[in-house]
Amino acid sequence: MTLLLPSLNHLPPPGSGIDSFTCRPSLNGKYSLKHTIEALASPTPPAPWYQLVWNSLSIPRHWVILWLAVLNKLPTLDSNSMAYKHIPNHCTLCLSSGESLNHIFFSCSFTAPIWSYLQNACSFYTRSQWIDFIFWASRHWSSKSIANAINKLALSTSIYHIWAERNSRIFKDISSSQNSILFKITTSIRERLLPLSFKDGVAAQRVRHV
Ligand SMILES: [Zn+2]
């Protein structure tokens, strides 16, 4: 208060000047919707996995499932989801270990041959921990090359069909073979890639091998 009083003593008395309105976010003091929105918008940078999930080649329902998996929001049986309260926690794909995100995607003996095929076709390697792979892929597939776009497409398509198979077994009691799931995955990838033409030799080579 003692610091504030000298400043208050130098203020002009009320009524000695003309009151005016100044809009703070605007550079010139005038109201601007654009500057107001920019001031209100959060300046937080996008998450490191942003480019991994949002891929123009991927089918929207595929990247939605990948997005949920990256956020660890897919309701696996090891989660506390009320929907699975009466279902024992075992993997419906390989019928052995407890179901978790890490298990389904990279440790399950049922999905291992599917990942193995895609790794050879697309030249990428999975990890034992799902989150480790996400951070690795986010770093290494950050550029907008067509080869990276194909890797992201292969990842989102595979995650979707593996999760769909898991749901089909739990909720419909219908099972498909590994070859059948791999056929669905590769067919979906080819359907997205075949209308495109590739100047990149590496990309064209991957398209032929998927
Ligand atoms: Zn399993």
Side-chain angles (χ1 to χ4, degrees):
M1 183 59 86
T2 51
L3 292 172
L4 188 61
L5 278 175
S7 303
L8 292 174
N9 288 334
H10 289 90
L11 285 175
S16 64
I18 301 171
D19 290 336
S20 63
F21 173 80
T22 301
C23 185
R24 278 293 184 188
S26 295
L27 298 175
N28 58 6
K30 293 181 179 176
Y31 174 74
S32 159
L33 180 61
K34 177 173 177 281
H35 289 140
T36 305
I37 291 173
E38 284 174 353
L40 292 173
S42 171
T44 51
W49 43 260
Y50 175 82
Q51 295 289 351
L52 179 67
V53 173
W54 313 122
N55 176 27
S56 59
L57 282 180
S58 298
I59 295 172
R61 68 176 182 274
H62 292 184
W63 57 245
V64 166
I65 297 299
L66 175 60
W67 179 46
L68 292 173
V70 168
L71 293 176
N72 198 18
K73 296 291 185 187
L74 286 182
T76 45
L77 292 176
D78 66 329
S79 66
N80 293 322
S81 172
M82 289 299 286
Y84 303 140
K85 208 168 62 171
H86 302 296
I87 301 178
N89 182 10
H90 72 274
C91 175
T92 50
L93 300 174
C94 70
L95 307 176
S96 61
S97 306
E99 185 188 80
S100 68
L101 213 58
N102 281 329
H103 174 80
I104 287 181
F105 292 132
F106 296 140
S107 301
C108 179
S109 60
F110 181 86
T111 59
I114 297 172
W115 290 116
S116 180
Y117 177 90
L118 292 167
Q119 287 176 57
N120 287 330
C122 298
S123 300
F124 68 81
Y125 298 96
T126 57
R127 302 285 192 276
S128 59
Q129 295 294 310
W130 168 247
I131 196 67
D132 290 345
F133 174 78
I134 291 304
F135 278 108
W136 176 86
S138 299
R139 265 201 322 276
H140 288 82
W141 300 351
S142 59
S143 78
K144 293 185 176 176
S145 71
I146 191 65
N148 284 342
I150 293 172
N151 286 345
K152 295 175 196 175
L153 171 65
L155 178 67
S156 64
T157 308
S158 307
I159 295 293
Y160 174 84
H161 282 287
I162 289 170
W163 185 250
E165 172 62 18
R166 174 264 189 199
N167 285 343
S168 172
R169 291 182 180 215
I170 289 181
F171 299 113
K172 300 178 185 172
D173 202 20
I174 298 173
S175 303
S176 300
S177 68
Q178 290 153 318
N179 284 342
S180 172
I181 298 166
L182 192 55
F183 179 76
K184 289 178 193 171
I185 292 170
T186 52
T187 302
S188 177
I189 294 172
R190 287 190 192 115
E191 284 175 352
R192 299 295 285 177
L193 296 178
L194 285 178
L196 308 175
S197 61
F198 298 103
K199 293 175 184 172
D200 181 340
V202 175
Q205 195 178 357
R206 288 186 187 178
V207 173
R208 281 198 297 273
H209 284 92
V210 172

